[in-house]
Amino acid sequence: MKKRIIVITVILCMVAGFLYLQYGRDVKVISTMNTASGNFYEMDLTVAANRLFIMDQEKFAEELIDRCIANDFHEVEFSYDVMGYPNRLWVKVYFNETSNRHFTIYYDVNEGKRFDYNIKDNPEIFESMLIRNDLIMLKCYYLDGVENGFFY
């Protein structure tokens, strides 16, 4: 009987530990970098998801983009009053602070002039792209409409 109680207690502690590691911690912003050139403003974030795994990466990416727009991170507060909201957003996502990069979120205008739109006021013309750990070719449109590609 004592053995069964010990086994159940250990299993419950393991389940509680797993649930805490997966759902009990918030996303942490590790670093930010802003780039501005003329009318163009780009924000680059590095975040630790503080999760064991991410089941739905697209949903997680949408949540991170919404949190960037809402300025809803505990570690950092973005200053949207000077330059306004960014025209492009890069978010590098790690499982935790010591792991390798899991994926990158690229949130940009899918057509037209980039500097005319920002991530808050015009979300309907933005599209997000998930770049996983392997090498992916991205389409890049220059202001003259010529399609070019680059590797990330």
Side-chain angles (χ1 to χ4, degrees), residues 130-148:
L130 292 179
I131 305 166
R132 297 192 171 68
N133 255 348
D134 45 12
L135 190 63
I136 294 179
M137 175 104 173
L138 297 178
K139 289 184 180 176
C140 174
Y141 293 92
Y142 290 105
L143 297 178
D144 59 0
V146 177
E147 179 183 327
N148 291 301

Side-chain angles (χ1 to χ4, degrees), residues 13-143:
C13 288
M14 288 175 58
V15 168
F18 171 77
L19 290 174
Y20 171 74
L21 290 174
Q22 181 63 23
Y23 302 108
R25 302 174 296 163
D26 193 19
V27 174
K28 181 178 181 184
V29 177
I30 298 171
S31 72
T32 66
M33 184 177 72
N34 299 325
T35 307
S37 174
N39 294 336
F40 186 75
Y41 174 41
E42 178 180 42
M43 188 163 59
D44 188 354
L45 299 174
T46 303
V47 299
N50 288 326
R51 304 263 165 83
L52 297 175
F53 54 88
I54 300 171
M55 293 293 287
D56 190 357
Q57 293 177 349
E58 287 82 13
K59 182 180 175 193
F60 187 77
E62 289 174 13
E63 290 172 1
L64 283 180
I65 292 167
D66 290 341
R67 286 186 74 176
C68 288
I69 293 170
N71 206 356
D72 187 29
F73 290 105
H74 298 290
E75 295 81 20
V76 66
E77 188 170 342
F78 306 121
S79 176
Y80 294 141
D81 56 346
V82 176
M83 291 292 296
Y85 286 87
N87 305 100
R88 180 188 298 153
L89 180 66
W90 287 93
V91 183
K92 296 176 195 78
V93 179
Y94 295 78
F95 281 125
N96 55 47
E97 293 184 46
T98 60
S99 68
N100 291 333
R101 186 181 325 167
H102 184 55
F103 62 92
T104 301
I105 303 163
Y106 177 68
Y107 192 59
D108 197 4
V109 175
N110 57 1
E111 61 184 42
K113 297 180 179 178
R114 287 191 170 98
F115 55 84
D116 288 342
Y117 308 105
N118 65 48
I119 64 173
K120 181 182 181 196
D121 297 333
N122 314 98
E124 67 277 355
I125 63 167
F126 278 80
E127 71 179 6
S128 61
M129 181 184 300
L130 292 179
I131 305 166
R132 297 192 171 68
N133 255 348
D134 45 12
L135 190 63
I136 294 179
M137 175 104 173
L138 297 178
K139 289 184 180 176
C140 174
Y141 293 92
Y142 290 105
L143 297 178

